[in-house]
PDB file of all heavy atoms in Angstrom:
ATOM      1  N   ASN B 408       6.720  -0.317 -11.294  1.00  0.00           N
ATOM      2  CA  ASN B 408       6.605  -1.771 -11.346  1.00  0.00           C
ATOM      3  C   ASN B 408       7.748  -2.403 -12.116  1.00  0.00           C
ATOM      4  O   ASN B 408       7.906  -2.141 -13.304  1.00  0.00           O
ATOM      5  CB  ASN B 408       5.283  -2.173 -12.019  1.00  0.00           C
ATOM      6  CG  ASN B 408       4.087  -1.697 -11.231  1.00  0.00           C
ATOM      7  OD1 ASN B 408       3.802  -2.221 -10.170  1.00  0.00           O
ATOM      8  ND2 ASN B 408       3.421  -0.672 -11.746  1.00  0.00           N
ATOM      9  N   PHE B 409       8.517  -3.195 -11.425  1.00  0.00           N
ATOM     10  CA  PHE B 409       9.542  -3.980 -12.110  1.00  0.00           C
ATOM     11  C   PHE B 409      10.076  -5.018 -11.130  1.00  0.00           C
ATOM     12  O   PHE B 409       9.807  -4.945  -9.932  1.00  0.00           O
ATOM     13  CB  PHE B 409      10.675  -3.088 -12.634  1.00  0.00           C
ATOM     14  CG  PHE B 409      11.495  -2.446 -11.571  1.00  0.00           C
ATOM     15  CD1 PHE B 409      12.657  -3.042 -11.094  1.00  0.00           C
ATOM     16  CD2 PHE B 409      11.104  -1.236 -11.026  1.00  0.00           C
ATOM     17  CE1 PHE B 409      13.405  -2.431 -10.108  1.00  0.00           C
ATOM     18  CE2 PHE B 409      11.853  -0.621 -10.030  1.00  0.00           C
ATOM     19  CZ  PHE B 409      13.007  -1.217  -9.571  1.00  0.00           C
ATOM     20  N   ALA B 410      10.793  -5.979 -11.676  1.00  0.00           N
ATOM     21  CA  ALA B 410      11.375  -7.013 -10.823  1.00  0.00           C
ATOM     22  C   ALA B 410      12.864  -7.106 -11.117  1.00  0.00           C
ATOM     23  O   ALA B 410      13.268  -7.135 -12.273  1.00  0.00           O
ATOM     24  CB  ALA B 410      10.711  -8.363 -11.081  1.00  0.00           C
ATOM     25  N   ALA B 411      13.667  -7.113 -10.075  1.00  0.00           N
ATOM     26  CA  ALA B 411      15.109  -7.307 -10.224  1.00  0.00           C
ATOM     27  C   ALA B 411      15.433  -8.710  -9.755  1.00  0.00           C
ATOM     28  O   ALA B 411      15.130  -9.079  -8.624  1.00  0.00           O
ATOM     29  CB  ALA B 411      15.873  -6.276  -9.392  1.00  0.00           C
ATOM     30  N   ILE B 412      16.014  -9.502 -10.642  1.00  0.00           N
ATOM     31  CA  ILE B 412      16.351 -10.879 -10.290  1.00  0.00           C
ATOM     32  C   ILE B 412      17.858 -11.018 -10.248  1.00  0.00           C
ATOM     33  O   ILE B 412      18.542 -10.709 -11.219  1.00  0.00           O
ATOM     34  CB  ILE B 412      15.743 -11.865 -11.313  1.00  0.00           C
ATOM     35  CG1 ILE B 412      14.214 -11.755 -11.270  1.00  0.00           C
ATOM     36  CG2 ILE B 412      16.186 -13.289 -11.014  1.00  0.00           C
ATOM     37  CD1 ILE B 412      13.511 -12.629 -12.283  1.00  0.00           C
ATOM     38  N   LEU B 413      18.358 -11.425  -9.106  1.00  0.00           N
ATOM     39  CA  LEU B 413      19.796 -11.567  -8.922  1.00  0.00           C
ATOM     40  C   LEU B 413      20.202 -13.000  -9.175  1.00  0.00           C
ATOM     41  O   LEU B 413      19.745 -13.926  -8.501  1.00  0.00           O
ATOM     42  CB  LEU B 413      20.175 -11.154  -7.497  1.00  0.00           C
ATOM     43  CG  LEU B 413      21.638 -11.338  -7.092  1.00  0.00           C
ATOM     44  CD1 LEU B 413      22.548 -10.462  -7.930  1.00  0.00           C
ATOM     45  CD2 LEU B 413      21.827 -11.032  -5.623  1.00  0.00           C
ATOM     46  N   LEU B 414      21.048 -13.197 -10.169  1.00  0.00           N
ATOM     47  CA  LEU B 414      21.544 -14.537 -10.463  1.00  0.00           C
ATOM     48  C   LEU B 414      22.958 -14.684  -9.938  1.00  0.00           C
ATOM     49  O   LEU B 414      23.894 -14.094 -10.477  1.00  0.00           O
ATOM     50  CB  LEU B 414      21.557 -14.785 -11.982  1.00  0.00           C
ATOM     51  CG  LEU B 414      20.232 -14.716 -12.735  1.00  0.00           C
ATOM     52  CD1 LEU B 414      20.448 -15.140 -14.179  1.00  0.00           C
ATOM     53  CD2 LEU B 414      19.189 -15.586 -12.066  1.00  0.00           C
ATOM     54  N   SER B 415      23.111 -15.433  -8.873  1.00  0.00           N
ATOM     55  CA  SER B 415      24.461 -15.775  -8.426  1.00  0.00           C
ATOM     56  C   SER B 415      24.349 -17.170  -7.842  1.00  0.00           C
ATOM     57  O   SER B 415      23.654 -18.000  -8.398  1.00  0.00           O
ATOM     58  CB  SER B 415      24.977 -14.742  -7.427  1.00  0.00           C
ATOM     59  OG  SER B 415      24.208 -14.753  -6.264  1.00  0.00           O
ATOM     60  N   ASP B 416      25.042 -17.459  -6.761  1.00  0.00           N
ATOM     61  CA  ASP B 416      24.905 -18.791  -6.169  1.00  0.00           C
ATOM     62  C   ASP B 416      23.422 -19.123  -6.036  1.00  0.00           C
ATOM     63  O   ASP B 416      22.948 -20.120  -6.550  1.00  0.00           O
ATOM     64  CB  ASP B 416      25.510 -18.797  -4.765  1.00  0.00           C
ATOM     65  CG  ASP B 416      27.007 -18.821  -4.826  1.00  0.00           C
ATOM     66  OD1 ASP B 416      27.527 -19.644  -5.587  1.00  0.00           O
ATOM     67  OD2 ASP B 416      27.629 -18.005  -4.130  1.00  0.00           O
ATOM     68  N   GLY B 417      22.763 -18.256  -5.342  1.00  0.00           N
ATOM     69  CA  GLY B 417      21.324 -18.411  -5.202  1.00  0.00           C
ATOM     70  C   GLY B 417      20.627 -17.489  -6.177  1.00  0.00           C
ATOM     71  O   GLY B 417      21.250 -16.751  -6.938  1.00  0.00           O
ATOM     72  N   ILE B 418      19.308 -17.536  -6.145  1.00  0.00           N
ATOM     73  CA  ILE B 418      18.507 -16.679  -7.005  1.00  0.00           C
ATOM     74  C   ILE B 418      17.664 -15.811  -6.087  1.00  0.00           C
ATOM     75  O   ILE B 418      16.894 -16.334  -5.284  1.00  0.00           O
ATOM     76  CB  ILE B 418      17.536 -17.511  -7.868  1.00  0.00           C
ATOM     77  CG1 ILE B 418      18.268 -18.644  -8.560  1.00  0.00           C
ATOM     78  CG2 ILE B 418      16.799 -16.615  -8.851  1.00  0.00           C
ATOM     79  CD1 ILE B 418      19.085 -18.238  -9.717  1.00  0.00           C
ATOM     80  N   GLY B 419      17.830 -14.517  -6.198  1.00  0.00           N
ATOM     81  CA  GLY B 419      17.044 -13.629  -5.346  1.00  0.00           C
ATOM     82  C   GLY B 419      16.197 -12.714  -6.199  1.00  0.00           C
ATOM     83  O   GLY B 419      16.399 -12.589  -7.399  1.00  0.00           O
TER      84      GLY B 419
END
Side-chain angles (χ1 to χ4, degrees):
Chain B
N408 297 289
F409 67 93
I412 297 177
L413 176 63
L414 299 186
S415 64
D416 284 312
I418 310 284

